[in-house]
Amino acid sequence: MAVAILVPGGGGLLGTELSRVCPPGDLLVAPKSHELDVTDPETTAAELGRFVAAAARRRLPAVVINAAAYTDTDAAESDRHRAFQVNALGPGHLAAACRAHGVPLVHVSTDYVFDGTAGEPYEPSAPANPLNVYGQSKLAGERAVLGSGARAWVVRTAWVYANHSANFVRTMARLEQERAEVSVVDDQTGSPTSAGDLASGLLSLAAHVAEGAGPSARLLHYVNTGRASWYELAREVFAHLGADPRRVRPCTSAEFGSPAARPACSVLSVRAWVEAGLPVPRPWTAALPEVVASLPDRGQAAAAT
Ligand SMILES: NC(=O)c1ccc[n+]([C@@H]2O[C@H](COP(=O)([O-])OP(=O)(O)OC[C@H]3O[C@@H](n4cnc5c(N)ncnc54)[C@H](OP(=O)(O)O)[C@@H]3O)[C@@H](O)[C@H]2O)c1
């Protein structure tokens, strides 16, 4: 059944992928931040009202996928107020508007709510203990959404990349062209995730909840399966670009010296997602080559020659 989907943050990495993979029969409205600012409760309620009316005219069940966020983890350390406005207050405003209109909400969150010390993949029920301001603000957003009284689901994801927008895979492809060697952190392990796969998974969940169904578990994880350090991921990117992976050198987080602390191991378990009957994520090693091959500045040119 076709659905109508509103995607605040429609101009970002995930928002762009949601527009790209959305089935043609669905109505997807993806406002950019200047068109729907989630920190403004009046604008948010008004835009949701317009969307609900458009969905009703098309006789489509409506659902919201929130892709809006303040995502600069390092900048958030010195910009706490704005990070909490966008990542905590904003989702709260959106959830309140969804509740008022009776529209279900799928909200996206992060592995950075965890401190990375568990030593095993994190289940959604594992205790959160964010190490940085970004993670704290996202955890506050999760709580605002789940405590709002809206029909809402929170989906945590991690290490998201695509062939567009700012992300690690594109950065590595650029550095492969610019530098003889690249130092990459080898003491942080996580779940590299294709934005296209994540978008498809979220659309499956959204279709269920728009039809009045949806998993009983309100907190879920979606990532590509398997694990890697940033260093291991960078080597795979180099290999798929046809470059020598030995040009990637391991370094420590301390040597790299980012302003924000990050979890040492924030691999997410998708068990609850799969048990809810949602599409089984594929391994990150299967998803990555497709994205690298489609990089506009390298992969397509290489494929064309
Ligand atoms: N990328 C990752 O590796 C990763 C990992 C874990 C979780 N996540 C989560 O995944 C979700 C999507 O992130 P993403 O990777 O797509 O990030 P992104 O590329 O930075 O996109 C976020 C979007 O939100 C918009 N935005 C910022 N402030 C807003 C506001 N007040 N109102 C409405 N929109 C606003 C931004 O617009 P402007 O550019 O105009 O500010 C941008 O288009 C987020 O919830 C993020 O926390 C991402």
Side-chain angles (χ1 to χ4, degrees), residues 213-304:
S216 53
R218 295 304 179 105
L219 189 52
L220 297 161
H221 292 165
Y222 183 98
V223 286
N224 285 127
T225 55
R227 61 171 68 196
S229 71
W230 291 115
Y231 164 72
E232 290 165 336
L233 176 57
R235 283 175 64 96
E236 282 293 300
V237 174
F238 270 52
H240 289 299
L241 287 168
D244 185 349
R246 289 172 299 184
R247 289 169 52 207
V248 182
R249 300 285 180 179
C251 74
T252 65
S253 303
E255 284 165 345
F256 199 77
S258 296
R262 288 167 168 78
C265 184
S266 56
V267 176
L268 298 182
S269 164
V270 295
R271 189 166 63 184
W273 176 276
V274 173
E275 284 178 359
L278 293 160
V280 179
R282 59 181 168 163
W284 73 267
T285 47
L288 179 71
E290 289 177 10
V291 173
V292 174
S294 70
L295 287 168
D297 38 359
R298 181 65 187 250
Q300 285 176 358

Side-chain angles (χ1 to χ4, degrees), residues 2-4 23-29 51-61:
V3 293
D26 288 354
L27 170 68
L28 186 132
V29 181
F51 164 74
V52 168
R57 281 196 297 277
R58 301 266 298 264
R59 299 183 191 281
L60 295 174

Side-chain angles (χ1 to χ4, degrees), residues 8-15 32-33 36-39 66-71 82 86 108-111 134 138 157-160 165:
L13 193 165
L14 174 60
K32 296 188 167 57
S33 56
L36 195 172
D37 178 351
V38 294
T39 66
N66 184 26
Y70 182 115
T71 55
R82 184 67 189 159
V86 178
V108 182
S109 191
T110 174
D111 57 325
Y134 167 71
K138 292 294 292 182
T157 189
W159 294 30
V160 184
S165 308

